[in-house]
């Protein structure tokens, strides 16, 4: 047995990716376009995108809410998991990112399946709550981590018993292990983890995600009882 080390973990990630994720024009174009536009490369990995896709299919989701569109990479995976009459509502703060995402999602054939809203997520979430939006089947949080706790409370008002709530980057390369993280994103992720662990309406766990560095995906289900 080789000892667990970063090189091995990266090779395992690549091994899994090569097994299950075929070269993909839409996703490659998406990343190339995002890079050319100067977006940060903080999109989910191909394997994590596939995990989002599988989980969304697993629950038979028709309505998905994403908070943090960036260039639309994870949105492409989520949209692919939807049936023909499905809808992905995705929220993005930066107009510049939204423009890249809109172009990419249009090219991938999802213009009609996606409702991309630009502006602070709290505003868009409150608009959805005010309009008595049909509850979402899946919620994916992947925006500023210092907003996660507030986004969760608003997303819960847009959920039903059984809604799956996912949150990216909740391990923050291990910084959530610090007793009092100085970085607001680390502190926000740590606060989120503690909220979901103790929330009366949720049952949750964190799945560690290992790539070149370690992070985690929080998985919660809104209680049915
Ligand atoms: C980082 C990674 C992310 O996936 C994200 O959503 C935000 C930040 C990061 O590694 O800094
Ligand atoms: Mg992320």
């Amino acid at each position: 047995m080789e000892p667990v080390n970063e090189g091995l973990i990266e090779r395992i990630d690549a091994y899994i990716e090569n097994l299950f994720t075929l070269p993909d024009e839409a996703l490659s174009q998406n990343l190339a376009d995002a890079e050319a536009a100067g977006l940060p490369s903080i999109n989910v990995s191909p394997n994590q995108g596939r995990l989002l896709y599988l989980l969304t299919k697993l629950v038979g989701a028709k309505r998905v809410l994403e908070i943090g569109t960036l260039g639309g990479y994870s949105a492409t995976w989520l949209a692919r998991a939807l049936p023909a009459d499905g809808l992905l509502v995705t929220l993005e703060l930066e107009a510049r990112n939204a423009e890249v995402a809109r172009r990419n999602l249009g090219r991938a054939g999802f213009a009609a399946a996606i409702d991309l809203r630009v502006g602070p997520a709290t505003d868009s979430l409150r608009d959805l709550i005010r309009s008595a939006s049909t509850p979402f089947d899946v919620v994916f949080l992947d925006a500023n981590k210092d907003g996660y706790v507030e986004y969760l409370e608003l997303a819960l008002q847009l959920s039903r018993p059984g809604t799956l709530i996912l949150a990216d980057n909740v391990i923050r390369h291990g910084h959530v292990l610090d007793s009092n993280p100085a970085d607001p994103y680390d502190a926000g992720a740590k606060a989120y983890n503690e909220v979901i662990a103790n929330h009366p309406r949720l049952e949750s766990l964190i799945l560690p995600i290992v790539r070149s560095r370690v992070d985690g995906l929080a998985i919660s289900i809104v209680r049915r009882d």
Side-chain angles (χ1 to χ4, degrees):
M1 269 292 260
E2 285 185 68
V4 174
N5 57 49
E6 274 190 14
L8 177 60
I9 287 167
E10 281 183 78
R11 280 189 289 129
I12 291 170
D13 193 51
Y15 167 78
I16 297 169
E17 187 178 321
N18 288 331
L19 272 177
F20 297 107
T21 306
L22 298 170
D24 186 316
E25 187 60 27
L27 292 171
S28 309
Q29 272 239 341
N30 180 299
L31 293 182
D33 211 73
E35 194 184 344
L39 270 55
S41 329
I42 53 169
N43 50 273
V44 300
S45 68
N47 287 338
Q48 205 186 338
R50 194 165 172 79
L51 175 62
L52 296 174
Y53 166 86
L54 285 171
L55 289 171
T56 303
K57 275 209 157 173
L58 180 69
V59 302
K62 279 190 148 186
R63 289 175 57 82
V64 176
L65 172 64
E66 177 181 60
I67 305 173
T69 316
L70 195 64
Y73 182 84
S74 47
T76 303
W77 281 104
L78 293 167
R80 284 180 176 177
L82 291 172
D85 59 346
L87 178 71
L88 170 67
V89 178
T90 182
L91 313 181
E92 174 55 42
L93 175 63
E94 305 283 352
R96 190 179 69 122
N97 298 348
E99 193 186 312
V100 174
R102 213 181 287 283
R103 188 167 60 231
N104 275 311
L105 293 163
R107 202 165 39 208
F110 295 121
I114 290 183
D115 176 358
L116 170 55
R117 301 185 179 201
V118 183
T122 46
D123 291 354
S124 298
L125 290 166
R126 290 197 179 97
D127 284 347
L128 286 163
I129 292 165
R130 257 195 306 275
S131 66
S133 158
T134 309
F136 289 94
D137 306 307
V138 175
V139 177
F140 177 48
L141 275 68
D142 194 14
N144 57 309
K145 316 310 164 198
D146 50 345
Y148 271 22
V149 169
E150 189 176 15
Y151 301 151
L152 172 69
E153 287 307 326
L154 293 168
L156 277 169
Q157 297 178 53
L158 295 162
S159 299
R160 55 163 174 79
T163 293
L164 176 65
I165 301 182
L166 306 168
D168 194 29
N169 314 111
V170 297
I171 295 299
R172 301 281 305 162
H173 320 308
H175 294 309
V176 296
L177 303 184
D178 299 349
S179 55
N180 205 355
D183 178 88
Y185 275 29
D186 296 341
K190 188 178 174 76
Y192 181 83
N193 297 340
E194 287 163 12
V195 166
I196 61 167
N198 296 294
H199 202 291
R201 288 188 62 201
L202 297 174
E203 292 185 284
S204 305
L205 189 68
I206 296 167
L207 183 67
I209 299 278
V210 285
R211 270 208 282 178
S212 51
R213 294 203 281 179
V214 65
D215 215 314
L217 178 73
I219 303 177
S220 304
I221 181 165
V222 180
R223 282 182 183 278
R224 295 178 191 275
D225 45 26

